[in-house]
């Protein structure tokens, strides 16, 4: 089974490869996405280390002068209406001065340094010969500096995201509260392209989209400036901050490899780790919660994002998170499939996108985090469940967390990529 699965996963990555980068899924997502590319590189390194390097290089080739790595890099050859909002909506050239590639102006969770380090480790000789890390290191540093400098909007020095798309977990119930303050654009004022390829009941609603488009248009119309005004949606997200902290640990390894000083990265890891625990951890609940920058309030919700800080080395509250992961709300020790939302909560929905379904990338992050903190038995359960689900359901975008049935797009790149890594 394993040999066949490896073969099938490789075929998905080869089919979705566009020459310089990989699309998340052929019809639904026909461009390059930022955090997808990082997970894809982690899997692609087992198929072709050179392609894995190019995947990250092409993404960072679209980095903005201010250091931000855009969440979508648009493929020129793809018809304009294939994805909404497309390049003509974002108008990135007006800010960057660069017409090609056109990009969005939002970001996604900073998992890239982790992917770069793993990609390097797959073939250090090739990487050194190509100057892979030497070229990428300053770009990764600029990316992290953008986040910690320009996006430190609230108190405590944590990074803020300014759009649900930036969380990577677009319609998580955690965002319902802050989003309710945003007046949605009428559904008729834009045309969704996703519903041509996906089941409406498994996607965000039209009202969600009305709010997403309103927020994105406002950010664009302010020139993608991060201040002085704080956007209507601004939250300190545990997943984003945890991945940044873990990415700083990876950056320390990368710095040592390229002859730079790792010390600032260790210091940054420590700073972010302390701030996360101080501002986002809820001891009573055993989870980290996002914080609303406008109100300073904790957005108490049962999002799996609150378990992702397990990826942070030296996290002092790791034991509490492991207990929550195996407790009633997530039951990861039994099922191995981490639901994206608390399964005991009234808002839990087994089919709707980030409101309950299990996702391969989150499972992969938790697998790493659980191993990092010595919960190897639970980590093994997660690994086995994801591999079994991929074998049974194929490389679907997400899974019903109770049955393992596949949902969303088929031949989804990061599902294939992390399966390859789990099989290694
Ligand atoms: C908006 C590509 C992306 C993922 C996100 C996922 C989804 C986009 C969409 O697809 O978001 O960025 O159109 O729904 O939520 O995590 O990166 O796979």
């Amino acid at each position: 089974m394993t040999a066949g699965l490896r073969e099938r996963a490789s075929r998905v990555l080869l089919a979705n490869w566009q020459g310089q980068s990989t699309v998340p899924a052929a019809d639904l997502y026909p461009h390059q996405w930022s955090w997808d590319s990082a997970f894809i590189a982690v899997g692609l390194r087992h198929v072709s280390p050179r392609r894995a390097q190019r995947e990250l290089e092409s993404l960072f080739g679209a980095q903005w002068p201010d250091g931000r790595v855009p969440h979508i890099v648009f493929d020129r050859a793809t018809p304009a209406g294939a994805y909404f909002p497309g390049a003509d909506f974002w108008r990135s050239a007006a800010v960057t001065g660069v017409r090609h590639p056109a990009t969005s102006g939002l970001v996604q969770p900073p998992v890239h340094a982790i992917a770069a380090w793993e990609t390097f480790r797959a073939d250090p000789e090739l990487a050194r010969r190509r100057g892979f890390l030497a070229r990428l290191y300053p770009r990764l540093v600029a990316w992290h500096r953008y986040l910690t400098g320009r996006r430190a909007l609230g108190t405590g020095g944590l990074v803020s995201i300014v759009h649900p798309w930036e969380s990577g977990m677009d319609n998580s119930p955690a965002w319902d509260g802050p989003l309710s303050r945003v007046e949605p654009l009428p559904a008729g004022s834009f045309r969704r392209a996703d519903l041509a390829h996906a089941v409406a009941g498994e996607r965000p609603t039209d009202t969600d989209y009305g709010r997403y488009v309103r927020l994105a248009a406002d950010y664009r119309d302010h020139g993608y400036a991060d201040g002085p005004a704080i956007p209507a949606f601004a939250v300190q997200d545990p997943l984003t901050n945890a991945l940044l902290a873990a990415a700083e640990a990876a950056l320390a390894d990368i710095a040592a490899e390229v002859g730079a000083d790792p010390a600032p990265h260790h210091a940054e890891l420590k700073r972010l780790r302390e701030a996360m625990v101080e501002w986002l951890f809820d001891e009573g609940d055993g989870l980290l919660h996002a914080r609303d920058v406008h109100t300073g309030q904790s957005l108490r919700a049962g999002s799996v994002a609150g378990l992702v800080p397990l990826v942070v080395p030296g996290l002092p509250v790791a034991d509490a998170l492991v207990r929550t992961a195996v407790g009633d709300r997530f039951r990861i020790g039994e099922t191995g499939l981490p639901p994206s939302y608390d399964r005991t909560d009234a808002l839990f929905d087994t089919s709707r996108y980030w409101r309950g379904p299990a996702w391969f990338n989150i499972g992969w992050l938790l697998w790493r985090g659980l191993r990092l903190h010595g919960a190897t038995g639970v980590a093994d359960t997660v690994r086995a469940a994801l591999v079994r689900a991929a074998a049974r359901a194929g490389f679907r975008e997400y899974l019903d967390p109770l049955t393992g049935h596949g949902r969303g797009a088929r031949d989804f790149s990061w599902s294939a990529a992390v399966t390859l890594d789990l099989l290694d």
Side-chain angles (χ1 to χ4, degrees):
M1 177 190 94
T2 300
L5 192 58
R6 196 173 271 130
E7 176 76 9
R8 276 188 279 152
S10 306
R11 273 208 302 270
V12 168
L13 292 185
L14 297 181
N16 289 345
W17 174 255
Q18 304 295 301
Q20 297 297 329
S21 64
T22 308
V23 292
D27 295 326
L28 191 57
Y29 308 114
H31 302 284
Q32 181 177 28
W33 259 259
S34 166
W35 80 324
D36 295 63
S37 273
F39 293 114
I40 288 164
V42 164
L44 203 47
R45 71 188 172 132
H46 300 294
V47 182
S48 164
R50 184 183 295 271
R51 279 196 186 178
Q53 291 174 26
R54 280 168 66 193
E55 180 80 40
L56 293 168
E57 287 163 356
S58 63
L59 177 68
F60 278 82
Q63 186 169 29
W64 283 27
D66 64 7
R68 91 181 70 194
V69 175
H71 102 291
I72 305 174
V73 181
F74 290 100
D75 180 354
R76 278 174 91 165
T78 300
Y83 180 81
F84 176 82
D88 53 342
F89 173 91
W90 298 100
R91 299 178 212 144
S92 58
V95 178
T96 63
V98 178
R99 276 174 58 89
H100 299 295
T103 75
S104 79
L106 298 173
V107 299
Q108 272 188 329
V111 68
H112 312 88
I114 299 170
W117 181 244
E118 296 297 346
T119 297
F120 164 77
R121 289 191 334 125
D123 191 340
E125 259 179 49
L126 172 74
R128 286 189 188 118
R129 208 163 54 240
R130 295 185 67 251
F132 170 62
L133 288 181
R135 282 181 288 117
L136 209 54
Y137 175 70
R139 291 184 172 265
L140 286 163
V141 170
W143 164 220
H144 288 196
R145 272 209 198 113
Y146 166 74
L147 292 171
T148 54
R150 306 278 293 270
R151 290 298 192 86
L153 303 180
T155 46
L158 290 166
V159 170
S160 298
I161 56 171
V162 298
H163 195 291
W165 282 333
E166 295 201 318
S167 72
M169 302 177 66
D170 314 352
N171 69 341
S172 167
W175 313 140
D176 290 358
L179 273 183
S180 66
R181 295 194 300 255
V182 178
E183 181 62 35
L185 285 176
S189 62
F190 56 89
R191 203 175 67 78
R192 293 177 65 169
D194 57 326
L195 296 181
H197 310 290
V199 179
E202 296 178 8
R203 294 284 304 173
T205 63
D206 281 345
T207 310
D208 291 333
Y209 257 80
R211 293 185 162 120
Y212 300 159
V213 179
R214 159 93 60 190
L215 285 169
D218 285 354
Y219 191 41
R220 176 199 65 199
D221 295 345
H222 286 92
Y224 299 107
D226 296 305
I230 294 182
F233 179 96
V235 304
Q236 296 170 329
D237 165 42
L239 180 143
T240 299
N241 282 282
L243 288 179
L244 183 60
E248 284 291 339
L251 215 43
D253 289 331
I254 295 173
E257 163 63 24
V258 302
D261 182 6
H265 303 301
H266 289 303
E268 199 53 11
L269 158 64
K270 184 167 177 293
R271 183 187 72 77
L272 286 163
R273 184 172 60 205
E274 284 170 2
M276 268 191 301
V277 173
E278 179 179 351
W279 294 97
L280 308 185
F281 180 60
D282 182 329
E283 209 174 329
D285 208 24
L287 261 186
L288 282 85
H289 294 294
R291 192 154 155 267
D292 190 329
V293 170
H294 287 281
T295 63
Q297 298 292 309
S298 170
L299 296 167
R300 278 182 118 261
S303 170
V304 75
L307 294 178
V308 172
L310 278 169
V311 298
V312 179
L315 188 78
V317 299
D319 288 352
L321 296 191
V322 174
R323 280 196 296 279
T324 305
V326 300
D328 275 357
R329 287 182 288 167
F330 294 95
R331 289 212 206 153
I332 293 173
E334 294 152 57
T335 69
L337 292 180
S340 45
Y341 201 70
D342 177 350
R343 42 191 284 166
T344 66
D345 192 285
L347 295 174
F348 173 67
D349 180 332
T350 56
S351 309
R352 204 182 275 279
Y353 217 40
W354 292 99
R355 302 178 78 87
W359 290 70
F360 283 86
N361 65 330
I362 300 294
W364 181 83
L365 289 169
L366 293 184
W367 167 72
R368 277 173 73 97
L370 288 161
R371 288 205 314 176
L372 180 66
H373 295 286
T376 47
V378 190
D380 287 346
T381 305
V382 171
R383 178 184 171 283
L386 290 172
V387 168
R388 202 168 42 242
R392 284 192 189 148
F395 304 106
R396 297 295 295 266
E397 190 178 4
Y398 36 94
L399 304 162
D400 180 316
L402 306 184
T403 65
H405 288 151
R407 300 267 182 267
R410 291 170 195 278
D411 293 341
F412 191 68
S413 294
W414 83 34
S415 304
V418 308
T419 301
L420 270 175
D421 198 56
L422 292 168
L423 287 172
D424 193 53

